[in-house]
Amino acid sequence: MKNRKLHAWLWRWHFIAGMVSLPFVLVLAITGGLYLFHPKVVETKTEPWRELGLTDEAQRLTYQEQWNRAKGVLKKPLSQFQIPEKSSESTQFTAGRFSHKTTVYIHPVTGAVLATFSPKDSWMYTVRKLHGELLGGKVGTKLVELVACWMVVLILSGLYIWWPFERGAQGVFTIRWRQGKRIFFRDIHAVIGFWMSGLLLLTLAGGLPWTDVFGAGFKKVQKWTDTGYPKGWNGRGLTSIVQDKPLTLDAMVAIAKAQGLPGTVSVGLPKGTKSSFSVSNKTFPLSEQKMLHFDQYSGALIQEYAWSDVGVLMRGRMWVMAFHQGQFGAWNWWLMQGVAIFLTLMSVGAIVSYLKRKPTKKLGVPKQPKKFKVGVGFVVLLLVLGCLLPLFGASIVLLFIVDVLRKRKTKAGETTLVRSL
């Protein structure tokens, strides 16, 4: 049998944390499901400039000439060229990274600048901002991180609270739909939560590396343990031997194609006279990704990195982040869409179940068990979680301080009352 006082104590805090977090969880679930459509939305948005329907016989400008046409279109220098996968496509040059990235589309026959596109030019950018920071900037980002941390605790505590020690194995598989709406929605929340718990934890693991506090700490651990990208992965510290003329982009593309890399292949453009060309590919599985650096004058290979050269923490981080975004194929996309849908159902189930059980004109917060002290093992678990999830740890310390002050105030009030009597 369970420790019933621990059960009651956990249930109280699970309830309070759930009620505070629930609105944010719903926003994260809905926006997360929507953002999975981001690649398709961008593909549809850029199709008029990207897919031109050109034939193989069309007379094209050289890649070098197209690069020259693209230079100066943006205020920031171009950093990357994507090798076209189909002869019917336009040519793409990119400046910047991540949400600050801007792509220039060049017509390969006329050399005309067809358009420029940034992630900010799509309504999906607003969805992303809602999902990542609730449109609240740095404060919103930390609030999302805090909710994600408490979701980990909600999942772990929910598993203990719900574990069907009364219903047995039947409670794992069945939802009671004939015993009233409260029981029905309570079981929707609990049964779905049980089966989704592991997947939800993995999904949260894929989102936490983007956060400010946990993400920054994780990067520091990678640096201390030398388990991130190799130092020269991005070409820093690698130099070309300066000669009269650098290679043309066409010559570099020929070298890149000769590497036989799978997926979408891009050429990193030199930033200065001594920097190098880089060739990388985006593909799944991640183990097939490579990064190669070439002398921009001779075309000689300066440095080659395979996925096995990347540190174990970075490999794990990139895997869970790609999984979080549904990038491993249709199965992964549908799995993440299922997480978003079922998380929404779980949240709605919790709300309806609460409203059905809530006493009139009262919040219905579960009572604190009397004369209960948390065991050492549980304190150790909280300390471990607090260290792994710093914002959760900070919130626990704050709650502890508030609780101590509340008890002192209550005790002082009782003492005053006794004296007055």
Side-chain angles (χ1 to χ4, degrees):
M1 292 292 290
K2 289 182 183 178
N3 182 327
R4 289 187 176 274
K5 287 188 175 182
L6 176 60
H7 177 102
W9 185 81
L10 280 174
W11 165 228
R12 174 182 170 84
W13 281 107
H14 183 87
F15 177 89
I16 294 171
M19 287 296 102
V20 173
S21 304
L22 203 56
F24 305 107
V25 173
L26 275 170
V27 171
L28 293 177
I30 293 169
T31 54
L34 283 174
Y35 197 70
L36 287 170
F37 292 95
H38 174 256
K40 187 64 179 178
V41 170
V42 171
E43 182 182 329
T44 303
K45 176 86 173 178
T46 60
E47 188 174 11
W49 323 313
R50 181 173 42 79
E51 184 54 60
L52 304 179
L54 298 173
T55 62
D56 293 336
E57 291 75 24
Q59 187 66 38
R60 290 169 170 75
L61 299 174
T62 64
Y63 289 131
Q64 184 67 41
E65 290 173 321
Q66 294 178 63
W67 185 13
N68 293 336
R69 299 287 181 95
K71 289 177 181 177
V73 174
L74 303 175
K75 293 181 180 179
K76 45 191 175 183
L78 300 174
S79 57
Q80 194 174 65
F81 162 73
Q82 182 176 309
I83 299 177
E85 296 182 41
K86 297 188 294 184
S87 60
S88 59
E89 291 182 342
S90 62
T91 307
Q92 301 176 36
F93 294 89
T94 302
R97 301 177 66 195
F98 307 122
S99 60
H100 302 288
K101 179 175 69 175
T102 303
T103 300
V104 180
Y105 293 85
I106 301 294
H107 197 294
V109 175
T110 66
V113 177
L114 299 173
T116 60
F117 178 78
S118 168
K120 296 179 181 180
D121 299 333
S122 166
W123 61 271
M124 273 293 173
Y125 181 74
T126 303
V127 174
R128 180 176 177 272
K129 285 294 183 181
L130 261 173
H131 187 71
E133 59 187 52
L134 304 172
L135 301 180
K138 289 291 184 181
V139 174
T141 302
K142 290 177 176 61
L143 181 57
V144 168
E145 180 177 356
L146 182 60
V147 170
C149 293
W150 272 98
M151 280 182 71
V152 174
V153 178
L154 284 169
I155 292 167
L156 297 177
S157 61
L159 286 171
Y160 181 88
I161 292 164
W162 174 79
W163 187 255
F165 66 103
E166 291 179 349
R167 294 185 66 205
Q170 184 182 9
V172 178
F173 299 98
T174 60
I175 293 175
R176 293 168 290 181
W177 57 279
R178 291 182 177 179
Q179 298 184 29
K181 292 182 179 179
R182 186 183 76 81
I183 295 295
F184 172 72
F185 283 101
R186 179 257 188 197
D187 281 0
I188 282 180
H189 176 74
V191 175
I192 292 177
F194 171 78
W195 288 107
M196 295 290 293
S197 57
L199 195 52
L200 280 172
L201 288 173
L202 185 58
T203 303
L204 288 168
L208 283 170
W210 275 294
T211 58
D212 288 349
V213 181
F214 177 88
F218 193 85
K219 288 177 182 177
K220 287 181 180 178
V221 172
Q222 284 182 176
K223 186 176 180 180
W224 295 337
T225 58
D226 194 24
T227 52
Y229 281 119
K231 291 182 179 179
W233 180 271
N234 291 321
R236 293 174 186 171
L238 303 179
T239 58
S240 297
I241 300 174
V242 180
Q243 299 180 26
D244 293 337
K245 290 183 179 181
L247 292 174
T248 64
L249 183 54
D250 298 78
M252 192 61 242
V253 168
I255 293 173
K257 288 182 176 180
Q259 307 308 310
L261 300 178
T264 301
V265 181
S266 298
V267 175
L269 304 173
K271 297 178 182 179
T273 56
K274 292 185 178 181
S275 55
S276 60
F277 278 110
S278 62
V279 175
S280 60
N281 63 320
K282 183 177 181 180
T283 187
F284 298 94
L286 294 170
S287 57
E288 294 184 8
Q289 291 189 4
K290 283 189 175 184
M291 176 69 78
L292 303 95
H293 298 283
F294 296 88
D295 188 297
Q296 68 165 302
Y297 298 93
S298 66
L301 179 63
I302 301 174
Q303 186 69 57
E304 176 179 1
Y305 295 105
W307 186 246
S308 57
D309 297 315
V310 179
V312 62
L313 287 185
M314 179 58 80
R315 292 205 304 269
R317 174 186 170 187
M318 296 304 292
W319 193 96
V320 293
M321 289 171 74
F323 181 83
H324 183 92
Q325 297 177 89
Q327 294 181 331
F328 289 113
W331 68 269
N332 188 192
W333 190 93
W334 281 107
L335 197 60
M336 289 298 98
Q337 196 63 251
V339 169
I341 293 169
F342 283 118
L343 183 56
T344 302
L345 286 175
M346 284 169 55
S347 301
V348 172
I351 293 171
V352 177
S353 177
Y354 163 68
L355 293 175
K356 291 294 181 182
R357 67 172 286 276
K358 186 180 82 69
T360 306
K361 296 182 180 179
K362 292 183 179 179
L363 288 176
V365 178
K367 293 182 180 180
Q368 179 80 15
K370 295 180 180 179
K371 297 180 180 180
F372 172 72
K373 291 184 179 180
V374 178
V376 176
F378 198 84
V379 172
V380 171
L381 177 60
L382 285 177
L383 288 173
V384 171
L385 286 173
C387 292
L388 290 175
L389 306 170
L391 282 188
F392 168 72
S395 67
I396 286 293
V397 171
L398 182 61
L399 287 171
F400 176 77
I401 293 172
V402 170
D403 190 51
V404 169
L405 293 175
R406 181 183 61 81
K407 287 180 179 178
R408 285 184 178 179
K409 185 178 180 180
T410 302
K411 188 175 182 180
E414 290 175 351
T415 303
T416 304
L417 180 61
V418 169
R419 287 176 178 175
S420 63
L421 293 174

